[in-house]
Amino acid sequence: MKKQVWILLMVPLLTLPALSFGAAAINWDMDPIDTDLKNMPSLQNGMRLYMNYCIGCHSLEYQRYERTADDLGIPHEIALEKLIFTDQAIGGLMTTAMTRDAGKKWFGAAPPDLTMITRYKSSEYVYNYLKTFYVDETRPFGVNNKVFENVGMPNVLQELQGVQRDPCADISEEVKASYRGFNCDFLTVDPGTGLYSAEE
């Protein structure tokens, strides 16, 4: 169960750059993810980040607060005081107040439950998805994603990651095709715009 909990919590753990996850990857070389399921401080931080940045829209409706806290070595009283921001009980399921109808209205599709997302996609997919949001003023939330093009989700981790840009955004497909070996598989971060460094 600890592995499952970590995979669920690795979503916010990454803090590099949360959502339908339905589209296939689009011409993006996926970076591998190296996980450490024994690093409890990191896993606990992942829980903190998930509760602060993700649960407003994305539930873990097949997971209970109590079991998650126990698996991560978080005392119940600390979980209740620092991680559960509603009147939900420690034994309750990790649900969001957002209804499916409201999510569909606001985002174009209801944000999915994330309990099993890494089994449905993969840890590598989620990792790359979270770190490839970039500025795109043509999109409703002002961002796009290299792994899931035209996703209907804001970059909720931007304050941690920083403002990320696609340096090839203004280059036409014709120009790209005319240069052999043309590579746009990278994004840049505006210096000083994120709380964390790329390494963090």
Side-chain angles (χ1 to χ4, degrees), residues 72-180:
L72 297 177
I74 300 171
H76 292 183
E77 54 277 5
I78 292 176
L80 284 165
E81 180 184 347
K82 303 287 185 182
L83 299 173
I84 303 174
F85 306 121
T86 64
D87 60 357
Q88 289 174 289
I90 190 73
L93 295 171
M94 299 175 71
T95 58
T96 178
M98 181 186 291
T99 65
R100 293 191 59 77
D101 288 341
K104 187 173 182 180
K105 179 179 177 183
W106 296 335
F107 301 108
D113 175 79
L114 298 181
T115 312
M116 304 294 279
I117 198 65
T118 57
R119 286 192 180 184
Y120 174 64
K121 286 295 188 182
S122 71
S123 299
E124 181 181 79
Y125 180 92
V126 173
Y127 172 70
N128 282 272
Y129 170 79
L130 286 174
K131 70 178 199 160
T132 59
F133 278 92
Y134 63 94
V135 173
D136 181 349
E137 298 298 337
T138 69
R139 299 295 301 147
F141 292 106
V143 294
N144 211 329
N145 190 278
K146 286 290 188 176
V147 172
F148 187 168
E149 189 173 23
N150 298 327
V151 67
M153 179 184 150
N155 183 5
V156 296
L157 301 178
Q158 180 174 295
E159 75 171 340
L160 304 178
Q161 173 203 32
V163 176
Q164 200 159 249
R165 299 185 187 277
D166 178 0
C168 302
D170 296 327
I171 301 173
S172 72
E173 292 303 318
E174 291 176 343
V175 171
K176 292 175 190 176
S178 68
Y179 288 94
R180 183 176 299 186

Side-chain angles (χ1 to χ4, degrees), residues 20-77:
S20 177
F21 284 113
I26 52 164
N27 299 326
W28 187 260
D29 290 332
M30 297 286 202
D31 289 335
I33 181 172
D34 183 26
T35 60
D36 181 357
L37 301 179
K38 295 181 180 176
N39 185 340
M40 279 300 175
S42 180
L43 300 177
Q44 292 166 353
N45 188 48
M47 173 71 168
R48 179 186 67 83
L49 292 168
Y50 173 81
M51 295 304 297
N52 280 279
Y53 291 93
C54 306
I55 200 164
C57 296
H58 297 282
S59 62
L60 293 175
E61 62 188 40
Y62 303 106
Q63 186 74 21
R64 294 187 184 277
Y65 289 107
E66 182 176 34
R67 178 60 190 258
T68 304
D70 290 347
D71 287 346
L72 297 177
I74 300 171
H76 292 183
E77 54 277 5

